[in-house]
Amino acid sequence: MRVALARWGNRISPLFDVAQEALVVEISRGRLISRRQVKLDDLGWPSRVEQLVHLGVRVLICGGISNFLYHQVVARGIQVIPWVTGDVEEVLQAYLQGQLNQERFAMPGCRRWRHRHRGGRWGR
């Protein structure tokens, strides 16, 4: 399974809509298999969504995301885990360990959003 983490430097990008790069990782049986940095298209949302699809991304981890873009990504079969903050490597490790629901990874003001998703736990 491929997971994309929207980046801004070494942190999760605060808004996916304008993120310029992503870390795309391949995960198999809960283990990291490969990783690569990908420049995200700035030609607009259709091309950004198609790029995720072309890369084979099944899960997108990001900070904020506009409602419109969220629905476009989900419509293409990609699970979106929004409102995440923190160091990209720490977020990735928390996702691999099933611990991304910790408060320290929630964007400020987004404490209760996790309880709406699978009992506070993100599936892998």
Side-chain angles (χ1 to χ4, degrees), residues 4-117:
L5 296 95
R7 296 178 54 137
W8 186 270
N10 65 346
R11 309 232 357 124
I12 296 295
S13 179
L15 183 62
F16 174 69
D17 303 49
V18 296
Q20 294 182 355
E21 62 182 21
L23 172 64
V24 177
V25 297
E26 180 81 25
I27 299 170
S28 178
R29 297 183 179 151
R31 294 185 177 263
L32 185 63
I33 303 299
S34 66
R35 60 190 299 141
R36 67 179 171 152
Q37 302 299 324
V38 175
K39 283 242 181 238
L40 294 174
D41 237 334
D42 7 324
L43 299 176
W45 71 263
S47 132
R48 183 170 290 237
V49 173
E50 288 307 313
Q51 188 175 15
L52 293 176
V53 171
H54 177 74
L55 290 167
V57 170
R58 302 297 299 155
V59 177
L60 169 64
I61 299 173
C62 59
I65 183 171
S66 67
N67 235 8
F68 178 79
L69 191 51
Y70 171 86
H71 289 291
Q72 296 303 314
V73 172
V74 169
R76 295 304 304 266
I78 299 171
Q79 177 190 6
V80 179
I81 303 176
W83 311 119
V84 175
T85 189
D87 177 84
V88 171
E89 295 301 323
E90 290 178 17
V91 168
L92 175 57
Q93 287 307 309
Y95 177 77
L96 290 170
Q97 297 167 6
Q99 299 177 347
L100 195 52
N101 63 342
Q102 294 178 19
E103 286 295 319
R104 68 186 180 122
F105 298 117
M107 288 184 80
C110 300
R111 290 177 14 164
R112 295 191 304 186
W113 67 273
R114 295 184 195 285
H115 301 292
R116 291 185 297 213
H117 301 278

